[in-house]
Amino acid sequence: MNTTITNTSSIQNIFRVLLGSFMLYAGVGHLTFLRTEFLAQVPTWLSSKTDTMDFVVLASGVVEIVLGVLMIVGRKLKVKTGIALAIFFVLIFPGNINQYVNQIDSFGLNTDNKRLIRLFFQPVLILWALWSTGALGFLKQKFKK
């Protein structure tokens, strides 16, 4: 995958760095001050053991920090990072569904309506990751052939 030639606009770069900053904040939150809140998003079908759930929160926090840093400074890797982040957003989506289905209050999402609305933001995050890194254009071009 030759991704070094993908150019992005200043607006895309600003949104890429912004999303990377959000990912860094969330990752640090996973490891520290938001750890309990993130426990509520671990799917109950994955595990109900506290140690396993805590490991999932910590591991996903580390992944978010790495992806956040790469979104900010990994210019040559930005397309690959955008694709990886989009995949990460897909992989964590079951946690959001779990929160909705099981009516788990967390992050101020304390009604079914709020939890349902939250589900519609995941595709936005996926598109944001792909667009801001130039991965969306790269993938369109790659699959057009």
Side-chain angles (χ1 to χ4, degrees), residues 1 14 56 65 67 72-73 84 89 91 115 118 121 131 144:
M1 178 184 329
I14 289 168
V56 170
I65 290 169
L67 289 171
I72 294 168
V73 299
F89 286 144
L91 292 175
R115 289 185 285 268
R118 166 64 179 93
F121 282 99
W131 170 78
K144 188 190 287 187

Side-chain angles (χ1 to χ4, degrees), residues 4 9 13 20 27 29-31 46 51 67 75 82 90 94 103-104 109 117 120-121 126 128-129 131 136 141:
T4 57
S9 69
N13 292 332
H30 272 76
L31 305 180
L46 185 63
D51 289 347
L67 289 171
R75 294 185 62 195
V90 170
Q103 300 176 317
I104 300 170
L109 303 175
I117 290 168
F120 291 99
F121 282 99
I126 292 166
W128 185 353
W131 170 78
L136 190 60
Q141 198 171 39

